[in-house]
Each structure stands twice: as structure tokens, then as C-alpha cells.
Amino acid sequence: MRAVLLLLGTLPLGLAALDGTGDTKNDSNLGAGWQPAHSLAAASGDFFYTGGVIGLRPGTNDLPDGVEAQTRQALENVRAILSAEGMNPSHVVRSNVFLTDTRHFQAMNAVYRTYFPEVPPTRATVRADLPVPGALVQVAMVAARPGVERSVVTPRGMRTPDLPYNWGMLAGNTLFVAGATSRNPETYEPVSGDIATQTRQVLENIGAVLEGAGMDYADVVSCNVFLDDPREFQAMNQVYATFFPTDPPARATVRAGLMNPLFNTEIQCVAVRDGDRQVIVAEGAARPTSPYSPAILTRDNLYLAGMVGRGPTGYAPGDIEAQTRQTLQNIRATLEAAEMSFADVADIVAFVTDIRHASAMENVLRDMMPSPSPTLTIVGSQLMSPDALVEIMMTAIRQ
């Protein structure tokens, strides 16, 4: 069952004032600014999802100065969200960090490490544009709810990362794999080469994590592929397809700056140990020719691919509202094929090519999604099609 918590309504993207029950209170002193209407967190099944959390001071539109202060405030905001549900940072199994400047990576890490001193979650960190002007960092996290067994997966022969993350975290029957880059698993040193060489190394590293959890590539249900250069999309796909020859996972692929200039791709995955794994395709739709599935259903969990606003007549040129509407229609058709609806959606990640379109895109989400809405993370990233303005990825859990 999905329980939406900490509904923002017209509150800004910082924490609202809590009344101790998990609900929010309106604050007449809130300033003006970008005001999302999505939920800040949602509990669904074994997991608790936070939307994209910015380092705004609670109840205000104020951002601290500097990436260290913003990282600290963002993580304090996350800590408060978790605390309201009887959890703390040790319950987090997956983290996504979006930075506006790769030069802030080390400073962010210095603060981030203090919040996860013993067992850090898996993590992917990329450069992207953020929806709040002046924001330098945004975090989105998944936590395993109390009572769900959690364990670190460190493959045999693979060196523990020097950075504050683990290769894999197993929570129940779900494995969260960190954003993998082209590193030698024994030395942690970068493996250079073209996109084909690096993609192969990345997926071999992911395979080692899967093996460490008693899984294989056939158990992968969802991936995020971050490419430094979209022109390498097809070459990446050629290698990627060899690792997922049948019933590939759902996937989103976007352009994002990586933290190390030696790398040209980073891939983050989720795998589920579940014999009921099914590919879901909307009625009347053909399977994509690229190596991904529209959605993967595992018992009651549906992992949807990043979908774009391409309709029967193509993309609506230059129209973010029309493309968002078409994207949601495409997603709704896929949900219906799994006998689900928007009411089952727990988490949304939306990639927009122009971050100035964030508000317009979210207005369409507000119109088409039920209230209260799922959690939402918005990032600005170039997409693989030059005509696409938005790509939306969702996770749904059957009620």
C-alpha cells in the first residue's frame, strides 16, 4: 500500500513544519518562489521514497551559502523526513546526488560522509541542472522500512570503494546497485577506453555485484544510464544489449556530467529476486527496438522505463506541456496493461532538457496525477532524442 507523507501542497521544496504525525502544517510566513505540489516522501511496500530534496531551510525559501552548507541542510531535511517515520539515515539503501558543478564533488562528499559513517547506501552522483535557482545540490533517497532485512553486498575480489557508498545493498529481495563506472574491480583504478570498452567494464562490475547477491543479469528490473556524450548512445547500446539479450530491464538514459573526466558512462541498477518477473507492454504498442522494456512487473512492483512525449504523429515541437501530457498518456497505457493506475505510483523522476520548463511540466503532472501526488525528483538533463523535451520514469506498487 502506498502512503503519501509530508504533502507539500503549496509549500516550498524545503521541509514544512511538522506536527509530529507525518502531516504538514501551512506556514503563513513562507516566502514566494517555485512551489511544487508533490509529496516530499511516500511509503510503499518495503520502501520509503523521498523526492528530490534541496538544502532549503525548513519553512523558508532560503538557501545557505556554499555547497557544504547546502549539502548539510539537504541531509538534515532528509533526516527529519526519516525521523517522522521512525527511521534514520542507516535505513537508506539508495541515494542519488545531483550537483550543478562537478567541482563541488569533494566538498559534498566531506559532508555526506558524516551522515553515513558506518554503512553508506549505494549511490550515483552526476552533474545536472536543478529546479530551484541557486541550489547547488539535490538528493533523492530510498530507505528500507523498519523490519526489512538489509545487508551490504561486496563482491569477492572487488575492492571496497574509497568514496562513501557501497557497491550493493540488499533489502529483502531487492538489490540496489550503485552507479558503476569503468573501474578495475581489484584496484579501483579507472579503466580507460572508448564507450564500448567502458560500458563493458561497467556492466561486468554490475554483474559481480549481482553475483555477490546470488543474482544475475536476468534479475535486473531497472537501470539509469548516464552518458557524458549523447553521440555515444548507439555505441553504448550495442554493448549493453549483449548483457540483456532477452526481456531487458526498464531504463532511462540521459546526458549527465560525471564526476571523473576519465569516465564516459555511469550505470545504476535495481534487481529483484523474483520468479514472477514479466515484461509489460501497453496494449497495441510494439516493443522498443532499443534494448529496454517499457516496464518490468515483479509480483506487485512495477518499474517503468523513462518515457517521452512521442505520440502517433511524433513529438509536439517546442511544447513542454503537450509533450508532458503525451508522456503521461504513454505511461498510463503501460500502467493499465499491468492492471494499475496513477494511484499506484510511488515515485517519479522527471528529466527536462530545459530546467526553466520544470514548473510547466509539473503543472501538467498536477492536472493528470491524483492528489496527493507521488514523490517527484526533477533534474535538467539533455535527452537522447533532440526533439524530446521531457522524460519521465516511475515506480508503482499495486495497492
Side-chain angles (χ1 to χ4, degrees), residues 276-299:
D276 295 331
R277 183 185 190 276
Q278 302 175 52
V279 174
I280 301 298
V281 181
E283 183 177 355
R287 291 199 182 195
T289 56
S290 293
Y292 69 90
S293 296
I296 297 291
L297 178 65
T298 62
R299 295 185 186 176

Side-chain angles (χ1 to χ4, degrees), residues 94 96 98 124-127 177-181 195 198-200 202-203 206 220 222-230 232-241 244 248-258 264-270 290-292 305-306 349 351 379 381-384 391 393:
R94 170 174 167 164
N96 284 82
F98 301 98
T125 305
V126 297
R127 197 219 74 80
V177 182
T181 51
I195 186 65
Q198 291 203 23
T199 301
R200 188 171 296 106
V202 166
L203 289 167
I206 289 171
V220 178
S222 178
C223 290
N224 287 324
V225 177
F226 301 106
L227 278 179
D228 191 62
D229 187 344
E232 296 181 322
F233 179 58
Q234 295 304 329
M236 178 278 295
N237 265 337
Q238 289 175 1
V239 176
Y240 183 96
F244 302 104
R251 193 183 79 184
T253 304
V254 299
R255 193 271 171 187
L258 306 184
N264 49 32
T265 187
E266 180 169 344
I267 302 178
Q268 177 187 41
C269 297
V270 178
S290 293
Y292 69 90
V349 181
F351 301 98
V379 292
S381 298
Q382 183 180 348
L383 306 181
M384 294 302 103
E391 180 168 344
M393 193 177 201

Side-chain angles (χ1 to χ4, degrees), residues 360-375:
M361 182 274 299
E362 192 174 14
N363 285 338
V364 179
L365 279 173
R366 185 184 301 115
D367 290 340
M368 295 185 65
M369 298 291 294
S371 179
S373 64
T375 62

